[in-house]
Amino acid sequence: MDSEIVKKFKESGKIAATAMQHGARMIKPGVRLVDVCDDVEKKIKELGGEPAFPAQTSDNDIAAHYCPEEDDETVYKEGDVAKLDCGVHIDGYVSDNAVTVDLGDNSELVKASRDAVNAALKVVKPGTKIGEIGRAIQQAIEKYGFAPVRNLSGHGIGRFSVHESPSIPNFDSGNEQTLQEGQSIAIEPFASSGAGMIYESSNPTVFMVVNKKPVRSSFAREVLKTIEQYNGLPFALRWLTRKHGIGKTRFAIRELLNAGIIKGYPPLPDVKHGLISQAEHSVLVFDKPIVITRLE
Ligand code: MN
Ligand code: MN
């Protein structure tokens, strides 16, 4: 990996970690989820980065992909297990990190995913089998009596790309493929007090372009023009409604979904609605790995 690219990844990671820490400190009972997400995105831009995807904050049994709309009045409550997931890009180089804030009595659950990501990072180096990373995660989480979420995984990160190969499992999948020097990956264990399996719910508020095609209506064309500025990276409904209004945006989103131009990513709850914690870091694979989202 070119040293200029390493530099950009490092800068990206530093901003992602700083913005996430800023957001995590805001998470208190009575605070609106949308205010935290807005502030995280604002912080990213202040620090010279761009969001690689919308800031997301998922509570309790929802593992990921809750992204409040502009008029969402939901607030954090006493007892919540609140995740905050945030990503940045610098010149396209993506970093991705997440943390869990415990507003109640679930410190063990939070520790389980944090220990798991640290255990996984300890075995990251060129030549490590992918399944070994999953095993480290699984063992760390099971030690606390919780279940790793099996149908969510870490992933490669690249230029203008949030999810690419390799997929990094959160359990020992037996995958014998090995990590390669110079790979950039995000490792993101989820610990669940429930099933350790999630499902796709409905009403996505995060979307991504999956297919470039012409569109018919002028509303959809106008909204698509805004979407194209995100360079193929995921975007929030809230970003569009603030610019185009709720009515026009919803109309356009429906058309773009129906035409197969964009895909939605709905919130992902645990099958048995157990509580879920998450921890995530992005790392560059070298003999001395660089955890780009770890602040010194
Ligand atoms: Mn993430
Ligand atoms: Mn991720």
Side-chain angles (χ1 to χ4, degrees):
M1 188 184 280
D2 196 283
S3 69
E4 271 306 300
I5 296 176
V6 171
K7 218 170 115 188
K8 285 173 182 171
F9 265 124
K10 277 183 165 175
E11 182 61 15
S12 170
K14 194 175 166 189
I15 295 172
T18 308
M20 188 184 73
Q21 199 175 71
H22 169 79
R25 285 196 186 116
M26 288 176 69
I27 296 179
K28 302 256 160 60
V31 171
R32 295 196 311 168
L33 278 61
V34 68
D35 291 333
V36 170
C37 292
D38 279 344
D39 264 47
V40 167
E41 290 165 6
K42 201 172 118 200
K43 186 59 126 186
I44 290 170
K45 289 174 188 166
E46 272 172 22
L47 295 170
E50 283 294 326
F53 52 82
Q56 284 151 76
T57 183
S58 305
D59 252 348
N60 301 327
D61 64 322
I62 302 174
H65 296 172
Y66 190 88
C67 186
E69 293 187 51
E70 59 170 297
D71 59 353
D72 185 336
E73 296 295 330
T74 311
V75 295
Y76 299 100
K77 301 173 302 303
E78 209 74 63
D80 277 358
V81 176
K83 277 79 61 188
L84 179 63
D85 196 328
C86 109
V88 170
H89 80 83
I90 291 282
D91 188 29
Y93 294 97
V94 169
S95 60
D96 183 2
N97 66 171
V99 70
T100 303
V101 178
D102 173 27
L103 295 179
D105 194 13
N106 292 289
S107 60
E108 295 283 292
L109 184 67
V110 175
K111 265 195 260 168
S113 53
R114 200 194 302 143
D115 278 11
V117 79
N118 289 328
L121 288 169
K122 276 198 186 125
V123 300
V124 165
K125 60 176 189 318
T128 296
K129 290 182 181 135
I130 303 267
E132 248 176 82
I133 303 174
R135 191 190 324 143
I137 290 171
Q138 180 173 4
Q139 282 176 349
I141 291 174
E142 287 179 349
K143 215 166 80 186
Y144 285 89
F146 299 114
V149 174
R150 288 170 174 257
N151 56 347
L152 284 174
S153 44
H155 48 90
I157 45 180
R159 188 151 193 243
F160 292 112
S161 165
V162 179
H163 284 126
E164 54 183 50
S165 68
S167 172
I168 311 289
N170 286 326
F171 65 101
D172 186 1
S173 63
N175 187 339
E176 305 237 312
Q177 260 186 299
T178 55
L179 291 181
Q180 307 296 311
E181 164 136 355
Q183 267 177 332
S184 38
I185 57 173
I187 299 179
E188 52 178 316
F190 294 81
S192 167
S193 67
M197 290 289 282
I198 50 87
Y199 67 94
E200 286 206 344
S201 64
S202 46
N203 299 325
T205 51
V206 179
F207 302 90
M208 194 173 78
V209 173
V210 288
N211 198 354
K212 285 191 176 170
K213 279 197 275 194
V215 281
R216 212 169 298 159
S217 81
S218 61
F219 280 180
R221 267 205 303 277
E222 195 183 321
V223 171
L224 191 55
K225 216 172 214 174
T226 302
I227 291 171
E228 276 161 3
Q229 292 166 9
Y230 308 132
N231 286 304
L233 290 168
F235 55 91
L237 192 58
R238 150 173 66 85
W239 297 354
L240 298 176
T241 54
R242 284 193 177 128
K243 180 161 181 168
H244 299 282
I246 289 178
K248 195 188 275 188
T249 299
R250 287 205 169 278
F251 183 92
I253 287 288
R254 200 176 319 122
E255 182 173 337
L256 295 171
L257 281 171
N258 287 341
I261 293 170
I262 61 169
K263 180 182 179 324
Y265 298 88
L268 305 172
D270 185 85
V271 166
K272 288 189 180 160
H273 300 286
L275 295 171
I276 293 184
S277 72
Q278 176 198 18
E280 181 175 28
H281 273 302
S282 295
V283 56
L284 308 182
V285 180
F286 293 110
D287 283 319
K288 279 188 80 180
I290 306 172
V291 184
I292 58 174
T293 48
R294 194 177 263 161
L295 295 174
E296 271 137 49

Short mmCIF file of all heavy atoms in Angstrom, two decimals, residues 68-89:
data_model
loop_
_atom_site.label_atom_id
_atom_site.label_comp_id
_atom_site.label_asym_id
_atom_site.label_seq_id
_atom_site.Cartn_x
_atom_site.Cartn_y
_atom_site.Cartn_z
N PRO A 68 -32.24 8.25 12.14
CA PRO A 68 -33.45 9.06 12.31
C PRO A 68 -33.72 10.01 11.15
O PRO A 68 -32.79 10.55 10.55
CB PRO A 68 -33.17 9.86 13.58
CG PRO A 68 -31.74 9.68 13.90
CD PRO A 68 -31.25 8.48 13.18
N GLU A 69 -35.00 10.21 10.87
CA GLU A 69 -35.41 11.23 9.90
C GLU A 69 -35.34 12.59 10.58
O GLU A 69 -35.20 12.68 11.80
CB GLU A 69 -36.84 10.93 9.43
CG GLU A 69 -36.91 9.65 8.61
CD GLU A 69 -38.28 9.44 7.99
OE1 GLU A 69 -38.78 10.38 7.35
OE2 GLU A 69 -38.85 8.36 8.19
N GLU A 70 -35.49 13.64 9.80
CA GLU A 70 -35.30 14.99 10.37
C GLU A 70 -36.33 15.31 11.44
O GLU A 70 -36.07 16.09 12.35
CB GLU A 70 -35.32 16.06 9.26
CG GLU A 70 -36.60 16.11 8.46
CD GLU A 70 -36.64 17.36 7.56
OE1 GLU A 70 -36.63 18.48 8.09
OE2 GLU A 70 -36.67 17.19 6.35
N ASP A 71 -37.53 14.70 11.36
CA ASP A 71 -38.59 15.01 12.34
C ASP A 71 -38.79 13.88 13.35
O ASP A 71 -39.82 13.81 14.01
CB ASP A 71 -39.91 15.29 11.59
CG ASP A 71 -40.35 14.11 10.73
OD1 ASP A 71 -39.56 13.12 10.62
OD2 ASP A 71 -41.45 14.16 10.16
N ASP A 72 -37.80 13.00 13.47
CA ASP A 72 -37.88 11.88 14.42
C ASP A 72 -37.62 12.41 15.83
O ASP A 72 -36.54 12.93 16.12
CB ASP A 72 -36.82 10.83 14.03
CG ASP A 72 -36.90 9.56 14.87
OD1 ASP A 72 -37.41 9.60 16.00
OD2 ASP A 72 -36.43 8.52 14.38
N GLU A 73 -38.63 12.31 16.70
CA GLU A 73 -38.52 12.87 18.05
C GLU A 73 -38.01 11.86 19.07
O GLU A 73 -37.99 12.14 20.28
CB GLU A 73 -39.88 13.42 18.51
CG GLU A 73 -40.40 14.60 17.67
CD GLU A 73 -39.52 15.84 17.79
OE1 GLU A 73 -38.89 16.04 18.85
OE2 GLU A 73 -39.46 16.61 16.80
N THR A 74 -37.62 10.66 18.60
CA THR A 74 -37.15 9.63 19.53
C THR A 74 -35.96 10.13 20.35
O THR A 74 -35.04 10.74 19.80
CB THR A 74 -36.70 8.36 18.76
OG1 THR A 74 -37.73 8.01 17.84
CG2 THR A 74 -36.45 7.20 19.69
N VAL A 75 -36.02 9.87 21.66
CA VAL A 75 -34.91 10.25 22.55
C VAL A 75 -34.33 8.99 23.21
O VAL A 75 -34.99 7.96 23.29
CB VAL A 75 -35.37 11.23 23.66
CG1 VAL A 75 -35.82 12.55 23.06
CG2 VAL A 75 -36.48 10.62 24.52
N TYR A 76 -33.09 9.09 23.65
CA TYR A 76 -32.49 8.02 24.45
C TYR A 76 -33.19 8.00 25.81
O TYR A 76 -33.61 9.04 26.31
CB TYR A 76 -31.00 8.26 24.66
CG TYR A 76 -30.21 8.30 23.38
CD1 TYR A 76 -29.84 9.51 22.81
CD2 TYR A 76 -29.84 7.13 22.74
CE1 TYR A 76 -29.11 9.56 21.63
CE2 TYR A 76 -29.12 7.16 21.55
CZ TYR A 76 -28.75 8.38 21.00
OH TYR A 76 -28.05 8.42 19.84
N LYS A 77 -33.31 6.77 26.34
CA LYS A 77 -34.00 6.62 27.63
C LYS A 77 -33.06 5.95 28.63
O LYS A 77 -32.13 5.22 28.23
CB LYS A 77 -35.25 5.74 27.46
CG LYS A 77 -36.27 6.28 26.46
CD LYS A 77 -37.42 5.31 26.21
CE LYS A 77 -37.00 3.92 25.69
NZ LYS A 77 -36.21 3.89 24.45
N GLU A 78 -33.34 6.18 29.89
CA GLU A 78 -32.67 5.49 30.99
C GLU A 78 -32.73 3.98 30.67
O GLU A 78 -33.78 3.48 30.32
CB GLU A 78 -33.48 5.77 32.25
CG GLU A 78 -32.74 5.77 33.56
CD GLU A 78 -31.87 7.01 33.75
OE1 GLU A 78 -32.41 8.14 33.82
OE2 GLU A 78 -30.65 6.81 33.84
N GLY A 79 -31.61 3.30 30.79
CA GLY A 79 -31.60 1.85 30.57
C GLY A 79 -31.22 1.43 29.16
O GLY A 79 -30.97 0.25 28.91
N ASP A 80 -31.15 2.37 28.23
CA ASP A 80 -30.86 2.02 26.83
C ASP A 80 -29.45 1.47 26.64
O ASP A 80 -28.51 1.87 27.32
CB ASP A 80 -30.99 3.26 25.93
CG ASP A 80 -32.42 3.55 25.53
OD1 ASP A 80 -33.32 2.77 25.90
OD2 ASP A 80 -32.65 4.56 24.83
N VAL A 81 -29.35 0.56 25.67
CA VAL A 81 -28.05 0.14 25.14
C VAL A 81 -27.95 0.81 23.77
O VAL A 81 -28.58 0.37 22.80
CB VAL A 81 -27.97 -1.40 25.01
CG1 VAL A 81 -26.66 -1.81 24.36
CG2 VAL A 81 -28.13 -2.05 26.37
N ALA A 82 -27.20 1.92 23.69
CA ALA A 82 -27.21 2.75 22.49
C ALA A 82 -25.91 2.58 21.70
O ALA A 82 -24.83 2.75 22.24
CB ALA A 82 -27.38 4.22 22.89
N LYS A 83 -26.07 2.19 20.44
CA LYS A 83 -24.90 2.09 19.56
C LYS A 83 -24.77 3.37 18.75
O LYS A 83 -25.78 4.00 18.40
CB LYS A 83 -25.08 0.93 18.55
CG LYS A 83 -24.72 -0.45 19.06
CD LYS A 83 -25.77 -1.10 19.91
CE LYS A 83 -27.09 -1.33 19.22
NZ LYS A 83 -28.13 -1.80 20.19
N LEU A 84 -23.54 3.73 18.44
CA LEU A 84 -23.28 4.83 17.53
C LEU A 84 -22.25 4.36 16.51
O LEU A 84 -21.17 3.89 16.88
CB LEU A 84 -22.76 6.06 18.29
CG LEU A 84 -22.44 7.28 17.43
CD1 LEU A 84 -23.69 7.82 16.74
CD2 LEU A 84 -21.82 8.40 18.30
N ASP A 85 -22.61 4.45 15.24
CA ASP A 85 -21.76 3.92 14.16
C ASP A 85 -21.48 5.06 13.21
O ASP A 85 -22.40 5.71 12.71
CB ASP A 85 -22.50 2.78 13.45
CG ASP A 85 -21.58 1.93 12.60
OD1 ASP A 85 -20.59 2.46 12.07
OD2 ASP A 85 -21.87 0.72 12.46
N CYS A 86 -20.20 5.31 12.96
CA CYS A 86 -19.90 6.44 12.10
C CYS A 86 -18.71 6.17 11.19
O CYS A 86 -17.78 5.47 11.55
CB CYS A 86 -19.79 7.69 12.95
SG CYS A 86 -18.21 8.40 13.18
N GLY A 87 -18.80 6.67 9.98
CA GLY A 87 -17.78 6.43 8.97
C GLY A 87 -17.39 7.71 8.27
O GLY A 87 -18.20 8.64 8.15
N VAL A 88 -16.15 7.76 7.85
CA VAL A 88 -15.59 8.97 7.23
C VAL A 88 -14.85 8.56 5.96
O VAL A 88 -14.35 7.43 5.87
CB VAL A 88 -14.61 9.64 8.23
CG1 VAL A 88 -13.81 10.76 7.56
CG2 VAL A 88 -15.36 10.17 9.44
N HIS A 89 -14.80 9.48 4.99
CA HIS A 89 -13.81 9.26 3.93
C HIS A 89 -13.01 10.52 3.68
O HIS A 89 -13.50 11.64 3.83
CB HIS A 89 -14.46 8.72 2.65
CG HIS A 89 -15.13 9.75 1.79
ND1 HIS A 89 -14.44 10.53 0.89
CD2 HIS A 89 -16.42 10.13 1.68
CE1 HIS A 89 -15.30 11.33 0.26
NE2 HIS A 89 -16.51 11.13 0.73
#
